[in-house]
Amino acid sequence: MDDRELSNWKRAGEIAGRARDLGVRMVEEDTPYLDVAEGVEEFIGDSGGMVAFPVNIAVNDIAAHYTPKANDRLRFSQGDLVKIDVGVHIDGCIGDTARTVEVGTNTYSSLIDASKRSLDAAIEVIRGGIKLSRIGSIVERTMNSMGFRPIINLTGHSIERYRLHAGLSVPSYDDRGTDVVPAGIIVAIEPFATTGVGEVVNGKRSNIYKFVREKEYLKDSQNSALQMIMEEYPHLPFSERSISSKFNKGEKITNGLLRAQAIYSFPILREISAGMVAQTEHTVYVTEKGCIVLTR
Ligand code: MN
Ligand code: MN
């Protein structure tokens, strides 16, 4: 990639890191989830970035794919274990990063630490030519040594312009795979640590959607919303909030587009045994000798 493109990846990563930390600081007892999501997304825009996906706020045994609705009423409670996962892009170059914070207690500090340390260990070893399964093995061993399990069906992923999941998966255990990481690519590494058995299942549908296909014979309001989606979110996920900010009855329109299969809803992901879940994530640029962490 040329210098100009790399500078977009760096700038997106830098804004994503600051947005993530702002989100983490905003998480307090009684604060509405919606305030955090809107505060972070506003910060991204003010900083010159674009929201690459709606801010994910995943609490306790929910691992990912929750974002508040426009009329969301949920607030943080004492003892909640909160994952803030943020995506920023500049000209399609995406920074994807997450951290976990506990609300007012320290019950799960070592679980949070297990996800953080296993990410650090992965960053330590990643370089062009390393096997993905080797990274997974190191993540798993780090977590096991601290008494926790990785979630085996959530992985890190390579990223390309406007493609959040670009083909390569970074496992959190030794999956015996033989694929290697080539130098010169962008990878998000995101080990999830849990007190449970280590697997997520699909729960209810979330408020996070992606465009699927254009449809004929839609109602006018649905058609206008779909045109907006095709213009602004042809490749990347969006939330019901971004429909509701531009259209009356945004939730109804969103439901209609979902029924028409013009858009798809990501399911909320829960730990199968209701174990608590912690996640830490950085986006890195892989080099011959190691990597550059873009979302510090
Ligand atoms: Mn993420
Ligand atoms: Mn990711």
Side-chain angles (χ1 to χ4, degrees), residues 251-273:
E251 196 169 356
K252 211 176 153 199
I253 294 173
T254 310
N255 288 338
L257 291 175
L258 193 61
R259 271 194 308 275
Q261 296 179 312
I263 62 175
Y264 163 87
S265 164
F266 291 91
I268 293 173
L269 301 175
R270 275 181 186 279
E271 211 284 325
I272 192 168
S273 62

Side-chain angles (χ1 to χ4, degrees), residues 26-185:
M26 287 180 78
V27 172
E28 281 184 37
E29 191 176 355
D30 286 333
T31 299
Y33 292 17
L34 188 59
D35 286 8
V36 175
E38 289 181 337
V40 170
E41 291 175 2
E42 197 179 305
F43 172 86
I44 292 168
D46 291 347
S47 306
M50 305 277 284
V51 175
F53 54 80
V55 176
N56 279 226
I57 301 177
V59 177
N60 299 335
D61 62 326
I62 296 175
H65 295 172
Y66 185 88
T67 201
K69 288 185 189 178
N71 62 359
D72 201 274
R73 304 289 287 272
L74 291 175
R75 291 165 184 265
F76 298 109
S77 305
Q78 163 128 331
D80 277 349
L81 187 64
V82 182
K83 280 75 66 188
I84 299 289
D85 193 337
V86 168
V88 174
H89 81 88
I90 290 180
D91 198 23
C93 301
I94 303 165
D96 178 7
T97 184
R99 257 178 67 193
T100 302
V101 65
E102 200 173 333
V103 183
T105 49
N106 290 301
T107 315
Y108 294 102
S109 319
S110 62
L111 181 67
I112 295 171
D113 212 32
S115 77
K116 184 181 179 304
R117 282 201 216 173
S118 47
L119 173 60
D120 291 344
I123 286 170
E124 193 68 35
V125 297
I126 195 169
R127 61 179 161 71
I130 192 173
K131 268 192 206 164
L132 288 156
S133 56
R134 168 110 195 283
I135 298 170
S137 157
I138 288 162
V139 165
E140 183 177 30
R141 262 189 285 140
T142 307
M143 285 194 195
N144 289 165
S145 74
M146 295 178 72
F148 302 106
R149 289 191 173 141
I151 292 183
I152 59 163
N153 57 343
L154 289 177
T155 65
H157 48 97
S158 55
I159 307 178
E160 291 170 5
R161 280 185 66 212
Y162 291 108
R163 284 185 75 200
L164 190 51
H165 291 258
L168 276 187
S169 294
V170 187
S172 291
Y173 70 106
D174 183 358
D175 66 353
R176 311 281 163 140
T178 53
D179 283 355
V180 300
V181 184
I185 70 164

